[in-house]
Each structure stands twice: as C-alpha cells, then as structure tokens.
Amino acid sequence: QVQLVESGGGLVEPGGSLRLSCAASGSIFDINTMGWYRQTPGKARELVATITKNRRTNYADSVKGRFTISRDNTKNTVYLEMNSLKPEDTAVYYCNADIVPAVSPRADYWGRGTQVTVSA
C-alpha cells in the first residue's frame, strides 16, 4: 500500500529555518510531480511548491526566494527547505505526489500533514 509520510515540522522563531521531508513508500512503479501544500484553520489548502520528475519547480509567490523544493528520486523523497520563516507561514504542511503504483492505477496521494509554527 502506497503512503506518504512527512517529517521535520515544529516550532521556530521568526527568521528561522526548517526542513521538511516526505518519503513515499510501498509498491511504487513511478512518481511524477511531488509537492507541498499548506492549510490553516478556516482556509482552503494552498499550493506552496511543486517539483516534476525532471526537477522543474513552481512556487507560490508568497514563498519565492525563501523556500526551496527538491527531491531524491532514488529515495522517493521530496524536501522543502524553508528559510526566513514568517508567522504567516504557520500552517499544517501536506505532502502530495502523483504516483503510479506497481499494482494499481495512477493516483494522487497525500500525507497526513506536519505542523509548522513560526512564533517568538
């Protein structure tokens, strides 16, 4: 069974840094685009950054120049390096991946989320 597991969230002061990781596991044939989204209470989930299998990236305007997405295809893992964090970056961060499992149809998968809190 395919699943995504995030790690690396926590509490950080404004201006600080965090690195999120998300590993895909299970019987996987291929992984296309991977990405990070975030959500705060009462708001819709929003895109933070995505990266294609060929490492083409896309960022929300609010994080450009501060966040960097990367992936390790040998480990089926995507990372989000977050620098110069602001209180408005506080949210639950979700990993997303377009996965082709070995024995089932291609589908969109989500992790369970990891809390990032930016506060003094």
Side-chain angles (χ1 to χ4, degrees):
Q1 185 171 354
V2 174
Q3 61 177 348
L4 299 177
V5 178
E6 302 106 333
S7 61
L11 172 64
V12 63
E13 293 185 349
S17 299
L18 279 177
R19 187 188 195 215
L20 305 183
S21 300
C22 171
S25 63
S27 297
I28 296 171
F29 176 73
D30 197 14
I31 302 178
N32 297 304
T33 298
M34 304 182 82
W36 292 94
Y37 292 72
R38 66 187 182 187
Q39 189 171 23
T40 55
K43 290 191 174 182
R45 192 171 296 185
E46 64 175 8
L47 179 147
V48 176
T50 60
I51 183 167
T52 68
K53 189 164 53 175
N54 296 323
R55 295 182 172 80
R56 186 167 57 205
T57 60
N58 178 54
Y59 294 93
D61 288 342
S62 60
V63 306
K64 281 181 182 176
R66 300 188 298 120
F67 291 10
T68 301
I69 189 170
S70 61
R71 64 189 284 173
D72 184 337
N73 291 335
T74 66
K75 297 180 179 180
N76 290 339
T77 299
V78 63
Y79 306 96
L80 186 68
E81 185 75 36
M82 305 185 292
N83 298 314
S84 302
L85 281 160
K86 304 175 181 179
E88 51 262 45
D89 294 317
T90 296
V92 178
Y93 284 69
Y94 295 91
C95 175
N96 172 266
D98 175 7
I99 295 176
V100 183
V103 294
S104 57
R106 175 179 177 178
D108 210 32
Y109 288 83
W110 290 90
R112 300 181 69 174
T114 185
Q115 176 70 46
V116 172
T117 302
V118 185
S119 175

